[in-house]
Amino acid sequence: MLRTHTCGELRIADINKTVTLCGWVQKTRLMGGLTFIDLRDRYGITQLMISDSVSDKEGYARECVLKVTGIVIERESKNKNLETGDIEIKLQHIEVLNTSITPPFTIEDETDGGDELRMKYRYLDLRRNVVRKNLELRHRLAIETRNYLDKQQFIEVETPVLIKSTPEGARDFVVPSRMNAGQFYALPQSPQTFKQLLMVSGFDRYYQIVKCFRDEDLRADRQPEFTQIDCEMSFIEQEDILQTFEGLTKHLFKVVKGIDIPKIPRMTYANAMKYYGNDKPDIRFEMKLVDLKATTSGKNFKVFDDAETVIAICAKGAADYTRKQLDELTEWVKRPQIGATGLVYARVNTDGTLKSSVDKFYNEDDLKNWAQVCEAQKGDLILVLAGSEDKIRKAASELRLEMGNRLGLRDKTKFSCLWVVDFPLLEWNEGDPNLLASLAGRWHAKHHPFTSPKPEDIELLKTNPGNVRANAYDLVINGVEIGGGSIRIHNKELQAQMFKILGFDTEEAQKQFGFLMNAFEYGAPPHGGIAFGFDRLCSLFGGADSIRDFIAFPKNNSGRDVMIDAPSEISLEQLNELAIKTTI
Ligand code: ASP
């Protein structure tokens, strides 16, 4: 080893030891004929002292790499903010292992580098404590996940990365095959079919911390390649999966954050939509959506009378919102992303009087009814949206979250977990931009085509497919979908029926998924599973909104790696070898 200690290690008990440290220069200061250098490595910062002013400052510029030897001495002015702050090293020898040109941004917790610059020089960004700590958290979560699952008899099995493209689900990333001209592999959107095949093989309990790939439009919490904790179990029912992965969730919170999570409540998808307008409700706060249609009808207020849906939320303690704040909130709900046409409000004043923005149509008694239905008390503010059901429930959900933010109800250090269960099996695809256009105007599997309908709803598949519920569940934490899974179909006929409903003819289904249906003929056990979004789990534990800083080398919003400049063009020679014809 080039060093005897790390830069985070030395304490008062080490005084008088001769030590050798290696690291990067964080800072150099000249003071009263002495030179002080802060030397940094992954473990911390140690102050070096040279009892001379160093003339060759170039050699000790920021970020150059030093190997230093000296004696540990007690510091005169101690630094309480540094774990090594009681000591410093009186240097006897310095060796410059490598020089550094001036970095494009400061390597500090609060850096002056913007996003794009940090990503271009990600290897420098990763020197910053805050980013490195995120990756240490990720490592800890991975280790503890493995510990827990190993104890529960799960085995980690690697599944292939070059697989076959399927038209179901999101868009695939594809890889041309040189040895099979004109043919393509696809990168897995998840190891779904492989983990089911492992159950047919009798593996019983499988997991994998695995990269998955989806060619979707990107958002802050999406990356084209991301990581899942992917799991599957045999001879189980939904309840067993919920228990096992509630166990994993509790274990991770306990050992990584020291938090005891109480029993995770459950909510049906139907109730989540009804009370929160959302299939991943943030239940750190109440503020449920209230149906105000019946209460507001027949008072000649055309906007409410004509609306399919009138929904209210009650913002506790917000009756003192000023006119200006309410105008601003009205503009907020009218933004295209929210899509409401306006916002009606009613204040329940602290003196018990009620005042609304539609006083012309509703007298105080009417407003008292509103307050009663909304369970509003003195000091509360009722906010009302009206319009078509699909639009307004979604808008009300957004408004609820926004009010939650404004009222400080979404504390990042508090965690509320929730199982959402009984998802619909199918949804009608009007033309989802994340799916191939050819799939529009068909039923689409809400979870995926291997999800089992609830046995009691199987009959409805023929008559009313939209009402069939699935044995599918999501784990939601603080309004973020952290995990999702289902009990699978393990019967060839039912799987074939499902493909038919999804619009595949028998030949097409056989071509795409024949390997799975054939496997089901060789004794497939009842099975089910779940996958956790590992990047999101890490960012949630780290108290961040974006997953990007929990991934060592992430892509930007256009799916580009700006550091290595990918994707990039390939040579004509490569294209020819791959038998790909282009217009260039
Ligand atoms: N493969 C599924 C997904 O990626 C998870 C599961 O059903 O286990 O969402």
Side-chain angles (χ1 to χ4, degrees):
M1 299 258 200
L2 296 187
R3 61 190 175 196
T4 58
H5 295 80
T6 70
C7 296
E9 204 178 342
L10 296 166
R11 301 284 185 273
I12 212 91
D14 297 303
I15 278 172
N16 289 332
K17 278 188 193 158
T18 299
V19 297
T20 300
L21 305 182
C22 293
W24 287 262
V25 173
Q26 175 87 19
K27 218 190 273 162
T28 304
R29 292 181 303 278
L30 291 173
M31 261 167 64
L34 302 175
T35 305
F36 293 97
I37 299 174
D38 282 348
L39 195 68
R40 182 195 73 238
D41 66 10
R42 184 185 131 190
Y43 309 94
I45 287 179
T46 298
Q47 178 164 292
L48 314 176
M49 194 265 281
I50 310 172
S51 41
D52 197 356
S53 40
V54 179
S55 51
D56 181 16
K57 277 217 287 170
E58 253 320 285
Y60 312 131
R62 266 198 302 140
E63 299 310 314
C64 77
V65 188
L66 303 183
K67 175 181 168 192
V68 299
T69 301
I71 297 179
V72 183
I73 58 170
E74 183 165 1
R75 253 162 94 154
E76 262 174 38
S77 57
K78 304 206 162 49
N79 182 348
K80 289 271 164 289
N81 300 324
L82 217 57
E83 289 196 77
T84 60
D86 287 348
I87 57 101
E88 62 193 359
I89 314 293
K90 187 161 187 254
L91 285 202
Q92 295 159 330
H93 185 73
I94 296 196
E95 187 185 334
V96 178
L97 295 178
N98 215 337
T99 56
S100 169
I101 55 171
T102 308
F105 50 84
T106 53
I107 314 291
E108 308 270 353
D109 289 0
E110 295 290 334
T111 178
D112 55 357
D115 253 14
E116 201 68 9
L117 201 60
R118 293 204 294 120
M119 290 306 147
K120 186 160 160 57
Y121 296 92
R122 184 63 162 173
Y123 48 89
L124 294 179
D125 196 33
L126 289 169
R127 283 186 191 168
R128 295 167 57 229
N129 274 324
V130 277
V131 189
R132 196 198 57 246
K133 281 207 174 109
N134 291 343
L135 292 178
E136 286 171 356
L137 172 67
R138 185 181 176 108
H139 164 75
R140 182 59 31 220
L141 281 164
I143 294 280
E144 290 302 338
T145 298
R146 290 196 161 97
N147 282 344
Y148 175 86
L149 292 174
D150 181 53
K151 279 212 185 80
Q152 305 281 329
Q153 260 76 51
F154 283 78
I155 13 181
E156 184 157 22
V157 182
E158 288 172 89
T159 52
V161 172
L162 296 175
I163 64 164
K164 175 178 160 137
S165 184
T166 57
E168 188 58 30
R171 285 193 184 85
D172 284 325
F173 281 102
V174 294
V175 181
S177 164
R178 181 181 55 84
M179 288 191 285
N180 302 275
Q183 297 191 325
F184 295 81
Y185 300 101
L187 304 182
Q189 296 183 23
S190 87
Q192 186 61 36
T193 49
F194 289 96
K195 66 176 174 174
Q196 291 191 241
L197 292 171
L198 286 170
M199 294 304 107
V200 178
S201 308
F203 274 71
D204 198 62
R205 293 181 170 206
Y206 141 96
Y207 85 99
Q208 186 179 189
I209 299 186
V210 61
K211 270 288 172 78
C212 302
F213 308 84
R214 291 182 195 170
D215 189 3
E216 292 177 318
D217 296 337
L218 303 176
R219 296 197 302 255
D221 60 346
R222 288 258 166 95
Q223 284 274 312
E225 54 176 300
F226 59 98
T227 305
Q228 287 189 342
I229 307 170
D230 189 46
C231 308
E232 198 75 4
M233 302 169 86
S234 290
F235 303 117
I236 43 83
E237 292 173 329
Q238 171 166 310
E239 186 59 32
D240 303 298
I241 304 255
L242 300 190
Q243 297 278 350
T244 306
F245 291 93
E246 183 156 339
L248 172 63
T249 309
K250 283 185 171 174
H251 173 75
L252 294 177
F253 271 106
K254 182 72 191 165
V255 296
V256 179
K257 291 198 81 72
I259 295 176
D260 283 305
I261 293 288
K263 175 151 179 53
I264 301 181
R266 299 179 189 182
M267 189 184 293
T268 62
Y269 170 86
N271 278 343
M273 295 310 288
K274 181 173 172 194
Y275 295 120
Y276 299 92
N278 193 320
D279 62 4
K280 41 179 190 299
D282 182 349
I283 57 161
R284 274 173 297 183
F285 63 106
E286 276 261 324
M287 214 190 282
K288 286 186 184 156
L289 313 193
V290 180
D291 182 348
L292 215 60
K293 176 74 182 166
T295 319
T296 53
S297 288
K299 301 282 173 176
N300 298 325
F301 184 45
K302 222 172 144 13
V303 177
F304 284 180
D305 284 350
D306 292 352
E308 183 186 2
T309 300
V310 180
I311 293 179
I313 57 172
C314 170
K316 292 261 156 239
D320 58 358
Y321 254 45
T322 62
R323 187 58 205 259
K324 195 162 159 247
Q325 281 173 303
L326 288 161
D327 285 347
E328 197 238 318
L329 209 53
T330 307
E331 286 314 307
W332 188 89
V333 299
K334 282 160 101 177
R335 295 181 323 158
Q337 304 95 300
I338 309 299
T341 45
L343 180 68
V344 166
Y345 62 83
R347 290 194 178 93
V348 187
N349 295 319
T350 39
D351 62 8
T353 59
L354 290 107
K355 190 107 193 72
S356 82
S357 56
V358 283
D359 276 352
K360 253 207 284 182
F361 304 96
Y362 300 96
N363 63 29
E364 193 141 342
D365 280 341
D366 296 330
L367 297 180
K368 274 191 184 138
N369 286 339
W370 294 21
Q372 200 192 2
V373 176
C374 298
E375 293 178 20
Q377 265 134 31
K378 287 179 186 166
D380 294 350
L381 175 69
I382 298 170
L383 297 168
V384 192
L385 295 171
S388 66
E389 168 65 21
D390 52 341
K391 234 188 186 164
I392 286 311
R393 200 159 290 277
K394 199 165 155 288
S397 162
E398 296 291 340
L399 178 62
R400 172 183 177 271
L401 292 173
E402 177 65 16
M403 288 310 293
N405 285 336
R406 292 186 187 207
L407 297 173
L409 303 172
R410 303 182 75 195
D411 180 350
K412 285 207 167 72
T413 63
K414 291 220 165 66
F415 297 93
S416 294
C417 306
L418 175 72
W419 286 113
V420 178
V421 296
D422 297 355
F423 274 82
L425 183 72
L426 301 161
E427 66 189 346
W428 188 253
N429 172 19
E430 286 290 355
D432 183 335
N434 272 320
L435 298 175
L436 290 173
S438 57
L439 294 172
R442 310 210 304 209
W443 287 109
H444 179 72
K446 179 125 182 110
H447 188 48
H448 53 54
F450 317 107
T451 294
S452 170
K454 279 192 180 290
E456 62 269 34
D457 288 0
I458 287 183
E459 271 308 301
L460 285 176
L461 274 176
K462 294 197 194 90
T463 52
N464 193 354
N467 275 7
V468 175
R469 291 165 307 157
N471 270 327
Y473 31 79
D474 274 359
L475 176 67
V476 175
I477 309 182
N478 291 0
V480 180
E481 183 197 326
I482 290 294
S486 61
I487 299 300
R488 325 298 184 192
I489 297 169
H490 64 282
N491 164 293
K492 188 184 170 178
E493 282 70 44
L494 185 56
Q495 188 64 71
Q497 189 186 354
M498 183 69 181
F499 285 133
K500 209 167 181 178
I501 291 166
L502 296 174
F504 294 85
D505 60 34
T506 319
E507 197 186 325
E508 182 70 17
Q510 191 59 33
K511 201 168 143 214
Q512 296 292 343
F513 298 107
F515 64 95
L516 187 70
M517 288 194 287
N518 294 345
F520 284 175
E521 293 194 285
Y522 294 94
H527 61 286
I530 191 166
F532 281 45
F534 188 55
D535 311 287
R536 282 192 201 168
L537 185 72
C538 295
S539 68
L540 180 92
F541 269 60
D545 292 323
S546 166
I547 61 175
R548 215 178 283 173
D549 272 343
F550 294 81
I551 297 173
F553 299 104
K555 312 249 182 309
N556 74 6
N557 274 346
S558 335
R560 295 200 70 81
D561 182 325
V562 293
M563 182 181 68
I564 59 171
D565 195 20
S568 61
E569 274 138 24
I570 57 173
S571 71
L572 213 51
E573 187 186 4
Q574 283 172 296
L575 286 171
N576 284 337
E577 275 195 345
L578 295 166
I580 293 179
K581 295 188 187 57
T582 70
T583 46
I584 20 171

